[in-house]
Amino acid sequence: GLSTSVETITTATDTLDLSNHTVLADCTSNAITINLPAAVAGTRYEIKKTDATSNAVTIDGNGSETIDGGLTAVINTQYESVTIVSDGSNWFIV
């Protein structure tokens, strides 16, 4: 199988780097904003909301970089996930 890093985030903000891969976002205490690093072609992240609260996970592109054409992507529902990949300029949900 494929072995990747898995990190659970509970703080209000976190910035991903190249050591991250799979992110479990627990918004039980607060909404979470996950900041993406500068786009590097082929970089891929999997982000999943694990809690049932109404607090959202907001994924924020670096500077003016977009995610499927928008500056952010939002996960509102428990167990919903987003896999994003960079082309070196922007991010795309796959």
Side-chain angles (χ1 to χ4, degrees), residues 26-65:
D26 182 348
C27 299
T28 301
S29 299
N30 46 260
I32 295 175
T33 298
I34 296 174
N35 299 302
L36 299 176
V40 174
T43 302
R44 180 182 179 118
Y45 296 109
E46 298 171 349
I47 302 166
K48 183 175 193 85
K49 178 176 164 43
T50 61
D51 65 279
T53 68
S54 61
N55 295 327
V57 177
T58 301
I59 305 163
D60 190 3
N62 186 287
S64 62
E65 294 173 0

Side-chain angles (χ1 to χ4, degrees), residues 1-79:
L2 173 68
S3 179
T4 63
S5 66
V6 178
E7 177 183 4
T8 298
I9 296 174
T10 59
T11 58
T13 61
D14 196 299
T15 300
L16 302 183
D17 59 34
L18 294 179
S19 69
N20 299 113
H21 181 267
T22 302
V23 176
L24 304 176
D26 182 348
C27 299
T28 301
S29 299
N30 46 260
I32 295 175
T33 298
I34 296 174
N35 299 302
L36 299 176
V40 174
T43 302
R44 180 182 179 118
Y45 296 109
E46 298 171 349
I47 302 166
K48 183 175 193 85
K49 178 176 164 43
T50 61
D51 65 279
T53 68
S54 61
N55 295 327
V57 177
T58 301
I59 305 163
D60 190 3
N62 186 287
S64 62
E65 294 173 0
T66 62
I67 304 166
D68 276 0
L71 293 176
T72 62
V74 179
I75 304 172
N76 291 304
T77 306
Q78 184 179 26
Y79 304 129

Side-chain angles (χ1 to χ4, degrees), residues 69-90:
L71 293 176
T72 62
V74 179
I75 304 172
N76 291 304
T77 306
Q78 184 179 26
Y79 304 129
E80 181 181 356
S81 65
V82 171
T83 299
I84 56 175
V85 66
S86 172
D87 69 352
S89 299
N90 291 293

